[in-house]
Amino acid sequence: MPQESPVTSSGRKKNLSTAHGSLTMWAMAILIITSILSMRGLPSEAKYGVQSIFFYLFAAAVFLLPFALVCAELASTYTKSGGLYRWVSEAFGPKLGWLSMFLEWQTIVIWFPTVLMFAAASLAYMFWPESFDEALASNKIYTLVIALLVYWLSTWNAFRGQKSANILSTYGGLVGTIIPGAVLIILGIVYLLAGKPVHLDHMPFFPDFSNIDTIVLAASIFLFYAGMEIQAVHVNDMSNPAKDFPKAVFVAIIVIVLVYSIGTLVIGVVIPSKDIDLLQSLLVAYKALWQSFGLGWLGNVMALFIMFGVIGQVSALVTGPSTGLMAVAQSGYLPRGLQKVNKNNANVPILLVQGAFVSLLLLLLIVLPTVEAAYQIMSQMATIIYLVMVIIIYAAFIRLRRTQPNKTRGYKVPGGDFGKWVVCGLGIVGALLALVLSYLPPSQIATGSPAMYVGIIVVGVGIIIALPLVIYHFRKPDWRNPDAHFYPFDWQIEGRKPDAVSKWPAGYEPTEEQVEAAESDCIACHASDKLH
């Protein structure tokens, strides 16, 4: 997430968190893998059996790879703080930049209920016998109480500062994702070699696209692959980003696709497709695998590991998005009361607002027919919101190639204009396809009334997109934090509109005087109520 860096007296940013050149190609690959890889969503794709490999490869080709290349170019070109907010604002101005930043935050907010429901299911599967586990994990009241408890305890921990949250997230990533992922794959291979029963449905490799409602669940893979825009901002911590970042991306993609594909197939091997539950089947798979070797109790231990991993994930993401949002909000997009931090530098007001959003979303458990249906609707809403942001970033990339053709780019999408249109065309078409599919109820699970299901998604997405635009319209000059110094955009320094073509020659870098003059103009605009 983009965060404001400390500033010098002239307003220049210093990145004190990571020294330039300290991040190797392998370190960047691991960073991408650990931030994207999650075991939670595997059951939804296991319903497709062997077809899941097609969907994983398809989404990697039309989303993960092109989006990674675009983010790599943007991150290595616009190296000042701000991340995607800076990329979009350089192209379209701060209104759409603020919208994109808000949508990224809301993607995580909507994602929270899904992972919290999974946490409740994981906790349920730590007990005996399995029939009790299944009944408890399917209970709405139990799921709601545990989800709220886990979230607010994580928020309370975040009040204690980022260091406390980082400890949980670090160990949670190791114990709750890396170890369970390795165990699942190894157990699956041993299971097959031992000649155990195989329940994997004999589906064709290519799906039947004539039945659209049967491939809705596959759209969630796009959200599985989310996060590339977050890690791309670290590209300038590499000694040779033009060469090493693309390598890191390709290594990460291979590992991610392999782990997702093999892990999904393992679930399909031990659980028949008709019996797969989106929340419980990963935990059931661990139990079934261990039971086949006479060690069923280890399935309960794996549930404990996964539960700890979920807590680590929630702990890491409770603070990250809100910190990025506040860094941008300090430029005048949220009231000063929401920008306050406590003695541990935790932004308590935004964390409380975020918690209110999450708690309200969790109440969908009451109106939807099953916990599984609530889980799926949250996943689809998060996918839609994220893909809207992705399409905005593609559009920003295309415009910036036109308006700033001479800008020095640490890494450039290969192929010139042809490569640009192939990569962006592929990415935008893939994102639009997944976005449209995400509005439909899937045929594989019971979601209740289709009208209510689709209506909740349409209304929810509409509110989330409209809210930041309303906030932007009614913003006030005194919302700007006078102690926050955000490096001006190139079009501000050059004195042009965002859609005008830059006159700067190749390799030009603005002087300190030009930057300071642009910063003064921005402050004057805020003071006169002419915000950007």
Side-chain angles (χ1 to χ4, degrees), residues 367-397:
V367 299
L368 289 169
T370 64
V371 174
E372 188 181 30
Y375 174 89
Q376 182 58 25
I377 199 169
M378 290 294 98
S379 295
Q380 289 183 228
M381 281 182 63
T383 301
I384 292 168
I385 293 298
Y386 183 74
L387 290 175
V388 170
M389 182 204 74
V390 166
I391 292 170
I392 294 173
I393 290 176
Y394 277 124
F397 172 83

Side-chain angles (χ1 to χ4, degrees), residues 336-348:
R336 291 291 303 281
L338 292 178
Q339 300 176 27
K340 294 178 180 178
V341 296
N342 64 11
K343 63 180 181 180
N344 298 315
N345 204 36
N347 182 251
V348 175

Side-chain angles (χ1 to χ4, degrees), residues 153-154 157-158 160 162-176 308-316:
L153 284 175
S154 298
N157 187 54
R160 300 168 61 199
Q162 189 63 43
K163 182 178 179 180
S164 181
N166 285 345
I167 293 172
L168 267 179
S169 62
T170 300
Y171 287 105
L174 173 64
V175 174
F308 186 62
V310 170
I311 292 173
Q313 273 189 311
V314 173
S315 178

Side-chain angles (χ1 to χ4, degrees), residues 13-64:
K13 309 297 180 297
K14 289 183 178 179
N15 187 350
L16 303 180
S17 59
T18 311
H20 178 75
S22 65
L23 204 59
T24 66
M25 185 276 287
W26 288 106
M28 175 61 84
I30 292 171
L31 190 65
I32 294 171
I33 291 167
T34 54
S35 64
I36 291 178
L37 200 59
S38 172
M39 309 301 291
R40 177 182 55 85
L42 299 185
S44 64
E45 306 315 312
K47 284 182 174 289
Y48 293 110
V50 176
Q51 263 180 27
S52 64
I53 299 177
F54 169 84
F55 288 121
Y56 282 124
L57 291 173
F58 177 78
V62 304
F63 174 67
L64 186 56

Side-chain angles (χ1 to χ4, degrees), residues 420-432:
K420 174 190 72 175
W421 289 114
V422 168
V423 168
C424 290
L426 197 62
I428 291 172
V429 169
L432 286 172

